[in-house]
């Protein structure tokens, strides 16, 4: 890889990291990042057993159990017995959880839209082309890249 390409890759990595951090700060709906991620995963993949959710989230089961307990207390998920395994519990998103995720995503889109409105029309077209190019880079290397992490498919 040549130096110019490496520098561009480093610039993209830094920008994407800063943008993701800023979007996380914009709207969290009173949730920690791990709670938000678990809620989005349950919405996308659920209902799920706690162990399966822990694997999806790549966290230890006790950590996930605490996050799900907080989400349950807030009425964003509910736990119910797994009809196929009497020892297990399924976690599913509630209507309130879906609403919280919708509002969070709306707030993040509004944040970006406000900033994009301050950019000249030609530059917005350049951003649009860049988004397509970056999406193509991901699509070429990851079959599931169309589902952004944490929502996000981020919130």
């Amino acid at each position: 890889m040549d130096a110019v390409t490496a520098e561009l890759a480093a610039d993209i990595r830094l920008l994407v990291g800063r943008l993701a951090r800023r979007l996380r700060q914009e709207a969290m709906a009173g949730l920690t990042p791990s709670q938000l991620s678990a809620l989005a995963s349950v919405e996308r993949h659920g209902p799920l057993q706690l162990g399966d959710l822990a694997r999806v989230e790549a966290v230890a089961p006790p950590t996930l159990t605490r996050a799900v307990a907080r989400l349950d207390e807030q009425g964003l998920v509910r736990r119910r017995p797994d009809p196929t395994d009497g020892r297990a519990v399924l976690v599913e998103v509630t209507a309130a959880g879906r609403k919280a995720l919708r509002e969070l995503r709306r707030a993040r889109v509004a944040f970006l839209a406000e900033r994009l409105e301050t950019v000249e029309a030609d530059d917005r077209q350049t951003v649009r082309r860049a988004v397509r190019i970056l999406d193509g880079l991901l699509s070429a290397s990851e079959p599931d890249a169309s589902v952004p992490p944490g929502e996000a498919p981020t919130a």
Side-chain angles (χ1 to χ4, degrees), residues 23-101:
L23 288 174
R24 279 192 304 270
Q25 293 168 350
E26 185 59 29
M28 290 296 290
L31 302 173
T32 67
S34 54
Q35 290 167 349
L36 179 58
S37 181
L39 180 61
S41 290
V42 172
E43 179 193 43
R44 188 173 40 254
H45 303 290
L48 291 170
Q49 289 185 2
L50 287 170
D52 294 334
L53 182 56
R55 279 187 287 288
V56 166
E57 289 294 300
V59 297
T63 301
L64 184 73
T65 300
R66 285 189 298 275
V68 167
R70 293 284 303 147
L71 293 170
D72 190 19
E73 289 169 10
Q74 296 175 41
L76 302 175
V77 299
R78 88 177 120 254
R79 292 181 272 193
R80 64 176 168 86
D82 184 337
T84 63
D85 182 350
R87 303 164 298 155
V89 197
L90 291 176
V91 179
E92 59 190 4
V93 174
T94 63
R98 280 194 240 330
K99 181 180 178 196
L101 286 169

Side-chain angles (χ1 to χ4, degrees), residues 100-118:
L101 286 169
R102 264 192 320 274
E103 289 172 0
L104 175 111
R105 290 170 182 147
R106 216 173 290 144
R108 290 175 175 181
V109 167
F111 166 80
L112 284 174
E114 280 179 27
R115 266 88 190 150
L116 286 169
E117 286 177 344
T118 68

Side-chain angles (χ1 to χ4, degrees), residues 1 15-16 24 37 40-41 48-49 61 74 79 82 86 88-89 112-113 123 129-130 133-134 139 142 145 147 151 155:
M1 146 179 27
L15 177 63
V16 168
R24 279 192 304 270
S37 181
S41 290
L48 291 170
Q49 289 185 2
Q74 296 175 41
R79 292 181 272 193
D82 184 337
V89 197
L112 284 174
D123 288 341
R129 283 193 306 278
I133 292 166
L134 291 170
S139 297
E142 298 177 18
V147 180
E151 347 188 329

